[in-house]
Amino acid sequence: MSARKVGARKVGAARKRAVTSPATLALRPKRIRPALLAWYRAQRRDLPWRRTRDPYAIWVSEIMLQQTRVETVIPFYERFLDKFPTVDALASADEDDVLAAWSGLGYYRRARGLHAAASIVAREHSGTFPDHPTELRALPGIGEYTAAAIASIAFGREAAAVDGNVVRVLARIHGLRGTRDSARLKSDVTRLAHALARGPAPGDWTQALMELGAMVCLPRPKCEECPVARACDAHRSGDASRYPEPARKPEPRAAVEVLLLARRGRSIYLEKAATRTGITWTLPSVTTRESAASLGFKPLGEPLTSFRHRTYAHDLRIEVLAATASRSRRGRWFTPDDLDGLPLRAPTLKAIKRLRLLSS
Ligand code: SF4
């Protein structure tokens, strides 16, 4: 047998050994929990939301940390809590003030959810945060992960908070194969996470797993610094970064989008849209000519222009139709000069350029 074949067999055998048996899984919490908790208590970063048990403050931090880095969140978190120190203060604030305090953090849907949830807590729970994950999940903007994080960190409940980092960490420790986005892997990890969540100090445990995923068990893991390396199957396999496998990139989905161009003299009508990066302005958008009436527009004639626009998820064919507005909506009319420097959604900017509607 060639040396290459022998090598390949050894690697295959190592990978097979990396797959954990059910009996081993049952033993894991006893080994992992104390080591990881001790490491967390000695090494944890001093973050402002770790100095409090106030559920409101912890909730704000968890919402801000969704899709945003810790270093970015810290100044926003401190300013936000200075301005809205309690759930009642947030509930009674104007939405525009809440969005202004959020400005620069992106994903404005989170700010709207926070504001709506604060109103519900103030109105229906007399300002006291519910402490059970199921009740927390009933609030706007709080999903399974955030509910479990708040319940464990603020209320000491044994709840398993499973996000992408936790999937990566537990898949590696337990040698679970599968792609990062696989439902099977997520469900296997969730089952393990629930088993591991049982025990003392649930809040510290949740944060210890998060901290390991954020500081050590990174996409390129620093196994030499890891407190659970001796119990980790992926580390033993010799190439921990292979766990979990990368998600397969989806093919962009073909779709049609119709942009409605209403004009009043040289002015055009645009509406405000909240995006990941902030507020932009867009021509009113529908999926078919027929649905324009639902927005209060009547399309006129053939498309003025059409073009393709690709995003990560979509391959769009954009058609721009002249339209009359039959009722006023929340948008505004803009002259060509007003459009200069205005943040515009990419397809709207393309349409405006193609139709030469800018002043220069
Ligand atoms: Fe992650 Fe490496 Fe630690 Fe395993 S040993 S949990 S792969 S950092």
Side-chain angles (χ1 to χ4, degrees):
M1 190 182 294
S2 72
R4 185 184 274 188
K5 276 189 179 164
V6 172
R9 275 199 173 180
K10 278 187 180 165
V11 171
R15 284 194 191 132
K16 267 192 189 151
R17 277 199 302 278
V19 177
T20 308
S21 73
T24 319
L25 288 183
L27 292 173
R28 282 289 165 78
K30 288 197 186 105
R31 296 170 63 194
I32 296 169
R33 252 186 157 271
L36 191 46
L37 279 172
W39 169 83
Y40 171 69
R41 286 167 182 155
Q43 304 286 335
R44 67 182 158 197
R45 289 168 293 170
D46 178 26
L47 302 174
W49 45 89
R50 287 185 177 159
R51 298 177 208 137
T52 178
R53 294 290 298 270
D54 176 4
Y56 167 68
I58 289 166
W59 168 54
V60 170
S61 74
E62 284 299 329
I63 301 292
M64 286 187 169
L65 286 165
Q66 290 168 2
Q67 289 133 334
T68 310
R69 294 163 60 84
V70 164
E71 307 77 52
T72 308
V73 164
I74 290 173
F76 283 93
Y77 169 85
E78 288 174 337
R79 279 199 299 272
F80 196 89
L81 284 192
D82 277 349
K83 197 162 171 57
F84 311 111
T86 64
V87 71
D88 287 326
L90 180 59
S92 55
D94 277 350
E95 185 180 90
D96 283 351
D97 288 341
V98 178
L99 292 176
W102 202 271
S103 179
L105 200 52
Y107 297 102
Y108 288 81
R109 191 169 33 85
R110 297 179 297 175
R112 292 200 177 87
L114 206 58
H115 190 219
S119 304
I120 294 171
V121 172
R123 203 174 53 240
E124 295 177 14
H125 299 271
S126 310
T128 304
F129 249 82
D131 66 356
H132 194 279
T134 310
E135 286 178 284
L136 286 162
R137 278 212 66 184
L139 296 171
I142 298 189
E144 207 167 323
Y145 169 83
T146 307
I150 298 170
S152 60
I153 298 168
F155 299 109
R157 284 189 171 269
E158 294 176 346
V162 181
D163 68 353
N165 279 359
V166 171
V167 168
R168 184 175 64 244
V169 171
L170 293 184
R172 285 176 175 172
I173 293 174
H174 295 277
L176 302 177
R177 303 314 307 251
T179 56
R180 211 170 287 159
D181 58 344
S182 113
R184 171 79 193 270
L185 180 65
K186 174 93 192 274
S187 107
D188 287 350
V189 164
T190 303
R191 196 165 38 83
L192 288 167
H194 280 290
L196 282 162
R198 288 196 281 274
D204 277 2
W205 171 250
T206 294
Q207 294 185 87
L209 266 183
M210 291 175 177
E211 192 78 346
L212 192 71
M215 304 304 290
V216 178
C217 196
L218 297 158
R220 293 178 68 175
K222 301 178 185 170
C223 299
E224 65 288 355
E225 295 175 23
C226 182
V228 296
R230 289 175 59 197
C232 178
D233 279 345
H235 177 52
R236 255 200 300 275
S237 80
D239 189 1
S241 62
R242 291 172 51 92
Y243 293 78
E245 293 146 42
R248 277 180 279 278
K249 194 174 168 217
E251 276 296 305
R253 199 160 54 82
V256 175
E257 181 175 343
V258 177
L259 296 179
L260 301 165
L261 178 68
R263 306 187 71 168
R264 187 189 279 169
R266 294 181 65 228
S267 298
I268 65 168
Y269 177 84
L270 298 175
E271 294 185 336
K272 210 190 263 188
T275 68
R276 190 172 59 79
T277 49
I279 299 295
T280 60
W281 291 85
T282 176
L283 290 166
S285 153
V286 284
T287 51
T288 62
R289 166 188 281 265
E290 291 68 36
S291 48
S294 67
L295 293 187
F297 288 91
K298 184 175 171 208
L300 308 166
E302 292 302 304
L304 299 170
T305 184
S306 59
F307 52 88
R308 278 177 77 190
H309 179 73
R310 271 179 171 259
T311 65
Y312 179 78
H314 292 106
D315 182 3
L316 295 170
R317 187 163 63 83
I318 309 268
E319 291 186 353
V320 186
L321 292 178
T324 52
S326 57
R327 58 180 151 87
S328 67
R329 295 169 35 79
R330 59 201 157 96
R332 277 180 44 197
W333 294 89
F334 290 87
T335 66
D337 287 341
D338 295 335
L339 297 176
D340 204 20
L342 190 73
L344 293 167
R345 194 175 152 243
T348 292
L349 180 60
K350 271 191 195 173
I352 284 174
K353 280 185 174 167
R354 288 173 82 96
L355 295 169
R356 301 178 192 281
L357 298 173
L358 291 168
S359 58
S360 52

